[in-house]
């Protein structure tokens, strides 16, 4: 009879929570390198003590990245996550570590320190019980996911290229679903220049930048195509000085989300081709789609079905979903490897003060990870 790993990890729950508490009580806002490195050193030591080969990839601006290798073989599975958070040092004083109503609260619990702790316990079990692996495991824990992975994107892509698939330990969707597709996205910045003039005396001499940007905003919003999974939202506008001056400047920031690479190209071209409606107005378009979409391919589906089967063996149902938000899974998938995201904790409140992880779901999630690590 197949081993029920869930029951096994239920017995370790106290130790798992204690480990998570240590992580959470070392606050790690992305911009605080010293703070992030403190936890990084701790995590490195924990995986080293399991017998892993730990490589610390030094960074100047953000925390050092960790590349952790276990096992042999030519094929490798990439396991991806981050230990930076959006919460400033001191958040813990307002949002302390707390266990209440079957949930554990604290900054970074759900997004996504619990995910790293899950991997640690799954791997520890594999090593202690001497369970054979089919592939080498490469854990890549980065430190700047929350601001777009400026210093880690290239490393993530390089590692993904060498891997046969990527498992992303970001939080599960609200209902526990894994994430098999993510939209890509980015931001465009539109700047409009007109010509200033006295609104009363010289109205005809002015070129009203706000009038011009109004035309552009209507056009941009119109690029939205819900069926294709493409949305554009003008999120902010600024312009003008006082009401009796025809404004010579206006600008807008635009959020873009796309589901396919084709749509990313289509929108990029449309944005670059924007042209002024008013004679004498000038447009500058900056920014772009920096995160490619994570597309659900037939190989993604196979990987999901394998995960679903592991959950079934543990006695629970696992579902999948596509989501709008991006993660580092977008970069891994863009390298052409099947990517399964949302394998981390069940909970809620990422980036919010009610951030928490559902305790009951922890043993089953670790069990699925253990099974995936050994099955792939
Ligand atoms: Zn995250």
């Amino acid at each position: 009879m197949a081993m029920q790993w869930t029951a096994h990890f239920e017995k370790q729950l106290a130790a798992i929570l204690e480990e998570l508490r240590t992580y959470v009580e070392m606050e790690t806002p992305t911009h605080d390198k010293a703070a992030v490195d403190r936890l990084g050193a701790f995590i490195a030591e924990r995986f080293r003590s399991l017998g892993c080969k730990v490589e610390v990839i030094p960074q100047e601006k953000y925390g050092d990245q960790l590349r952790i290798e276990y096992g042999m073989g030519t094929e490798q599975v990439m396991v991806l996550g981050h230990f930076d958070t959006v919460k400033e040092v001191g958040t813990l004083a307002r949002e302390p570590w707390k266990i209440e109503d079957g949930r554990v609260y604290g900054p970074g619990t759900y997004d996504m320190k619990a995910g790293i702790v899950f991997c640690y316990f799954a791997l520890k079990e594999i090593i202690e019980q001497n369970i054979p692996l089919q592939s080498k495991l490469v854990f890549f824990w980065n430190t700047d996911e929350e601001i777009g992975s400026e210093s880690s994107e290239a490393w993530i892509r390089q590692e993904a290229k060498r891997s046969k698939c990527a498992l992303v330990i970001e939080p599960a969707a609200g209902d526990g679903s894994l994430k098999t597709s993510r939209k890509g996205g980015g931001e465009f910045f539109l700047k409009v220049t007109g010509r200033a003039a006295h609104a009363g005396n010289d109205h005809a001499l002015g070129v009203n930048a706000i009038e011009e940007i109004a035309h552009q905003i209507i056009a941009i919003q119109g690029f939205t195509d819900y069926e294709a999974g493409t949305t554009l939202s003008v999120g902010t506008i600024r312009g003008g000085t006082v009401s009796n001056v025809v404004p010579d400047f206006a600008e807008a920031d635009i959020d873009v989300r796309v589901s396919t690479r084709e749509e990313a190209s289509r929108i990029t071209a449309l944005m670059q081709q924007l042209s002024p409606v008013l004679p004498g107005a000038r447009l500058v378009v900056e920014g772009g789609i920096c995160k490619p979409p994570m597309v659900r391919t037939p190989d993604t589906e196979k990987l999901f079905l394998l995960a679903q089967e592991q959950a079934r063996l543990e006695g629970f149902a696992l579902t999948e979903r596509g989501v709008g938000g991006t993660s580092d899974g977008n970069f891994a998938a863009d390298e052409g490897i099947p990517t399964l995201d949302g394998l981390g904790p069940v909970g809620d409140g990422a980036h919010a003060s009610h951030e928490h992880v559902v305790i009951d779901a922890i043993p089953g999630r670790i069990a699925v990870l253990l099974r995936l690590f050994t099955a792939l």
Side-chain angles (χ1 to χ4, degrees):
M1 200 200 113
M3 173 103 180
Q4 284 289 309
W5 289 105
T6 303
H8 193 76
F9 288 117
E10 265 160 16
K11 291 189 206 113
Q12 298 181 32
L13 211 41
I16 294 163
L17 290 174
E18 200 44 45
E19 184 83 7
L20 178 58
R21 181 176 186 156
T22 307
Y23 280 36
V24 170
E25 293 189 340
M26 290 190 209
E27 294 174 285
T28 52
T30 315
H31 293 285
D32 191 337
K33 175 173 167 62
V36 175
D37 281 344
R38 237 183 326 270
L39 178 57
F42 179 81
I43 295 173
E45 196 40 52
R46 296 301 271 163
F47 281 83
R48 217 174 266 131
S49 74
L50 292 180
C52 298
K53 190 178 133 200
V54 178
E55 188 187 342
V56 178
I57 302 167
Q59 296 295 330
E60 241 166 64
K61 195 163 163 197
Y62 303 106
D64 299 341
Q65 326 285 358
L66 298 178
R67 182 191 183 276
I68 299 170
E69 204 181 289
Y70 184 79
M72 320 275 271
T74 45
E75 288 200 307
Q76 72 171 48
V77 170
M78 178 180 197
V79 186
L80 186 53
H82 64 93
F83 56 96
D84 61 319
T85 72
V86 296
K87 312 265 177 97
E88 290 311 317
V89 169
T91 305
L92 202 53
R94 292 190 309 278
E95 302 168 19
W97 170 267
K98 170 177 82 170
I99 294 177
E100 207 174 271
D101 302 327
R103 297 162 169 184
V104 51
Y105 292 82
T109 44
Y110 178 58
D111 185 14
M112 54 151 281
K113 290 177 174 178
I116 299 179
V117 170
F118 290 2
C119 289
Y120 170 78
F121 276 87
L123 183 63
K124 184 165 167 282
E125 209 56 40
I126 287 170
I127 293 168
E128 283 173 2
Q129 311 249 3
N130 229 334
I131 307 167
L133 297 180
Q134 325 275 327
S135 310
K136 183 163 70 179
L137 298 173
V138 175
F139 301 88
F140 194 88
W141 305 140
N142 76 330
T143 55
D144 57 356
E145 193 274 346
E146 295 293 3
I147 57 148
S149 306
E150 190 182 309
S151 75
S152 54
E153 178 185 343
W155 292 96
I156 291 165
R157 286 181 175 279
Q158 187 187 64
E159 208 58 57
K161 249 183 222 135
R162 296 189 201 131
S163 305
K164 63 172 178 180
C165 63
L167 305 175
V168 187
I169 319 297
E170 285 276 356
D175 60 353
S177 291
L178 301 189
K179 300 168 179 177
T180 47
S181 70
R182 287 182 180 272
K183 287 191 178 184
E187 264 182 302
F188 283 100
F189 309 101
L190 172 65
K191 296 183 198 312
V192 177
T193 315
R195 191 186 312 121
H198 191 288
N201 298 333
D202 298 317
H203 190 281
L205 297 178
V207 178
N208 190 316
I210 292 178
E211 183 186 353
E212 176 61 43
I213 210 167
H215 288 293
Q216 301 301 330
I217 288 169
I218 299 296
I220 290 166
Q221 292 284 130
F223 299 158
T224 293
D225 181 344
Y226 290 129
E227 256 166 55
T230 300
T231 58
L232 287 96
S233 179
V234 178
T236 66
I237 52 169
R238 291 170 296 279
T241 49
V242 291
S243 68
N244 64 357
V245 174
V246 173
D248 66 352
F249 186 73
E251 60 184 348
D253 299 339
I254 303 122
D255 177 279
V256 187
R257 312 271 163 164
V258 291
S259 293
T260 62
R261 289 184 193 205
E262 292 71 27
E263 281 294 285
S265 315
R266 183 180 75 91
I267 295 303
T268 304
L270 283 170
M271 288 300 296
Q272 281 163 357
Q273 286 157 16
L274 287 174
S275 60
V277 173
L278 303 179
R282 280 190 298 119
L283 309 182
V284 176
V285 178
E286 289 167 350
I289 297 174
C290 46
K291 280 238 171 145
M294 181 178 114
V295 181
R296 183 186 188 279
T297 65
D299 283 342
T300 317
E301 184 181 357
K302 266 190 228 154
L303 188 55
F304 169 70
L305 290 175
L306 182 73
Q308 194 176 46
E309 172 64 9
Q310 309 315 305
R312 197 191 59 77
L313 291 168
E314 292 295 325
F316 71 98
L318 199 55
T319 49
E320 64 169 316
R321 264 175 59 179
V323 294
T326 62
S327 85
D328 285 329
N330 291 64
F331 295 131
D334 197 45
E335 294 300 330
I337 59 169
T339 301
L340 200 53
D341 205 332
L343 280 158
V346 179
D348 199 7
H351 303 193
S353 59
H354 66 292
E355 177 169 4
H356 65 265
V357 168
V358 175
I359 295 174
D360 262 4
I362 291 176
R365 304 298 282 198
I366 303 180
V368 167
L369 284 176
L370 181 149
R371 287 178 174 278
L372 276 175
F373 291 168
T374 52
L376 280 166

